[in-house]
Amino acid sequence: EIVLTQSPATLSLSPGERATLSCRASQSVSSYLAWYQQKPGQAPRLLIYDASNRATGIPARFSGSGSGTDFTLTISSLEPEDFAVYYCQQRSNFYTFGQGTKLEIK
Amino acid sequence: EVQLVQSGAEVKKPGESLKISCKGSGYSFTSYWIGWVRQMPGKGLEWMGIIYPGDSDTRYSPSFQGQVTISADKSISTAYLQWSSLKASDTAMYYCARPPVPAAQDAFDIWGQGTMVTVSS
């Protein structure tokens, strides 16, 4: 089973700052990596698929990069509604999720 | 509008059986894989398995193989997740989800609202 490790576990930033979230896979997943945002009481929301493609309706401040085992989700300038938990997910070998990064207001 | 609508919250006792549902609408139900995801209280997302309603091809995460059964009834556009004997550790929110591309095991862009299952004596 492919293990995804996200870092940091918690990220404390202020609105307007840049956020960089990491996801590392235990073996190569090629570009088959997605990022989701989840707010309390809500289902996850797809942000990025295949490492760098924004899903429909996702603002341009969200971007993804990486391939193989190392991936990054960048939020260029944080809006108040961006504070949430973020998960990466691979689909190279079945599916697995990372453990999540909580993005909180500093 | 493409939607996945899940059945309502359940409260069960250990050892009881349960089947929860996920009804698809607004698209060709048989053409898209549907996955199930568990989220235990205060915890992260765990992928459980996936089914292709067109031919009932089903894949399970090793962690959930033998613990649950995933099925689908294409005549009523509904996927199911069932347990034969619930445990307290099955207490969680369960989501169904669908990829955006037909016949592809892709990321999930359409999600159900979730079904909360509580198992307690």
Side-chain angles (χ1 to χ4, degrees):
Chain A
E1 180 176 300
I2 296 175
V3 177
L4 298 179
T5 303
Q6 292 186 238
S7 61
T10 302
L11 185 57
S12 300
L13 293 170
S14 300
E17 290 192 292
R18 182 183 187 89
T20 304
L21 288 68
S22 295
C23 177
R24 175 164 289 179
S26 59
Q27 63 190 78
S28 176
V29 299
S30 185
S31 295
Y32 297 134
L33 191 104
W35 290 94
Y36 297 85
Q37 175 194 69
Q38 189 179 33
K39 296 179 181 179
Q42 296 184 16
R45 174 193 182 196
L46 178 64
L47 300 174
I48 301 289
Y49 65 94
D50 291 347
S52 60
N53 298 291
R54 270 190 305 277
T56 303
I58 301 304
R61 64 180 182 272
F62 292 92
S63 63
S65 62
S67 65
T69 60
D70 290 293
F71 299 87
T72 300
L73 174 70
T74 301
I75 310 171
S76 59
S77 179
L78 286 165
E79 297 288 341
E81 63 267 27
D82 297 337
F83 292 92
V85 180
Y86 292 83
Y87 295 94
C88 58
Q89 178 207 46
Q90 67 81 23
R91 65 174 184 93
S92 174
N93 182 3
F94 293 115
Y95 293 84
T96 48
F97 288 95
Q99 83 281 14
T101 290
K102 182 179 181 180
L103 178 56
E104 64 177 24
I105 299 177
K106 187 173 181 179
Chain B
E1 180 191 5
V2 175
Q3 284 189 96
L4 295 174
V5 178
Q6 298 185 231
S7 49
E10 301 274 2
V11 179
K12 292 288 192 179
K13 290 181 168 35
E16 292 186 330
S17 63
L18 177 65
K19 193 174 190 177
I20 63 175
S21 67
C22 169
K23 183 174 177 60
S25 63
Y27 72 97
S28 175
F29 183 75
T30 55
S31 299
Y32 291 78
W33 290 84
I34 287 187
W36 286 95
V37 175
R38 182 175 80 174
Q39 188 166 38
M40 300 175 77
K43 302 298 183 183
L45 305 172
E46 300 173 272
W47 179 71
M48 302 176 72
I50 197 164
I51 187 166
Y52 188 70
D55 60 7
S56 293
D57 185 7
T58 307
R59 320 281 173 86
Y60 293 93
S61 162
S63 301
F64 291 93
Q65 179 82 49
Q67 308 303 308
V68 297
T69 301
I70 293 170
S71 61
D73 184 341
K74 56 188 179 184
S75 69
I76 54 171
S77 300
T78 301
Y80 300 98
L81 178 64
Q82 69 180 90
W83 297 258
S84 58
S85 180
L86 286 160
K87 303 184 282 286
S89 57
D90 293 317
T91 294
M93 179 72 82
Y94 293 88
Y95 293 102
C96 62
R98 195 211 78 171
V101 178
Q105 294 187 41
D106 207 336
F108 300 127
D109 76 330
I110 304 294
W111 290 72
Q113 83 276 19
T115 296
M116 185 66 207
V117 173
T118 303
V119 183
S120 174
S121 54

